[in-house]
Amino acid sequence: MQLNSSFEFYRWFMPMFLHVDFMHITFNLLSQLIIGGFIERIFGFWRTLGIYIISGVGGTLLGCLINDKISVGASGAIFGLCSALIGWLIVNWRALGPNSPRGYLLCMAIMIVAISVIIGLTGTKVDNYGHFGGLIVGFLSGMAFSRPASEALPMGNYREENRDDVKIKIIGGCIMGGLLLLGFGLFFGIRHPEHFTFGC
């Protein structure tokens, strides 16, 4: 990735909207419909959109830090949506209580992530670094953007958010922000300092 001016920062976002071929975009669209629809019911539209974009940027960033290969696709963002559910469950674990479907949701999220990782590792021409970047950032943003269980699942009559839940959200947000700042610092400061020109 070559950022020759401050007007080219859109390149951090564009890969998640570009795809190699029809099968690539079809598979990712189906994944978004299946996974994204459920995640949107938990987080709401705007939080889900934020998680999607930040996870995609996180995947792009890790991929750029480790290799110089051209990579496109929404897989990093989709991985982020999957791991965001795990982050949400961590924040709301006690609020959900033992009689809730929290165990089922956690197992489902872990299984989807594990299967996706295995498929990525066994595939060819797959940017696994982008997947892992989206996975990590999605997990942390799922904690930071978490809605209380009482809002996300109003029919469950779960308890309201308390101070401990807020502390976990703040910790997740701080770690996510720190990792992104570190990643951009490493990219522009060490790996490709020549690209940090801002048009000067």
Side-chain angles (χ1 to χ4, degrees), residues 23-34:
M23 288 301 297
H24 188 200
I25 192 171
T26 300
F27 180 80
N28 278 343
L29 283 173
L30 288 174
S31 300
Q32 289 174 15
L33 286 173
I34 296 170

Side-chain angles (χ1 to χ4, degrees), residues 29-51:
L29 283 173
L30 288 174
S31 300
Q32 289 174 15
L33 286 173
I34 296 170
I35 299 168
F38 178 75
I39 297 300
E40 186 177 345
R41 286 195 291 271
I42 297 292
F43 286 92
F45 173 78
W46 292 110
R47 286 184 175 90
T48 302
L49 179 62
I51 292 168

Side-chain angles (χ1 to χ4, degrees), residues 48-152:
T48 302
L49 179 62
I51 292 168
Y52 184 86
I53 293 175
I54 294 173
S55 299
V57 172
T60 302
L61 179 57
L62 186 61
C64 289
L65 281 172
I66 298 178
N67 63 61
D68 291 317
K69 296 178 180 178
I70 296 175
S71 178
V72 295
S75 300
I78 295 171
F79 266 77
L81 292 179
C82 293
S83 60
L85 177 59
I86 301 176
W88 180 82
L89 285 169
I90 289 176
V91 174
N92 290 282
W93 191 257
R94 285 185 290 180
L96 290 168
N99 296 323
S100 70
R102 65 183 187 182
Y104 166 77
L105 290 174
L106 181 62
C107 290
M108 181 185 70
I110 293 175
M111 182 178 67
I112 292 173
V113 170
I115 292 173
S116 300
V117 169
I118 292 171
I119 293 174
L121 291 174
T122 55
T124 59
K125 298 181 180 179
V126 177
D127 183 9
N128 288 300
Y129 298 117
H131 291 178
F132 289 128
L135 194 69
I136 295 168
V137 174
F139 169 72
L140 294 170
S141 62
M143 295 172 64
F145 298 158
S146 177
R147 280 204 304 173
S150 57
E151 293 181 15

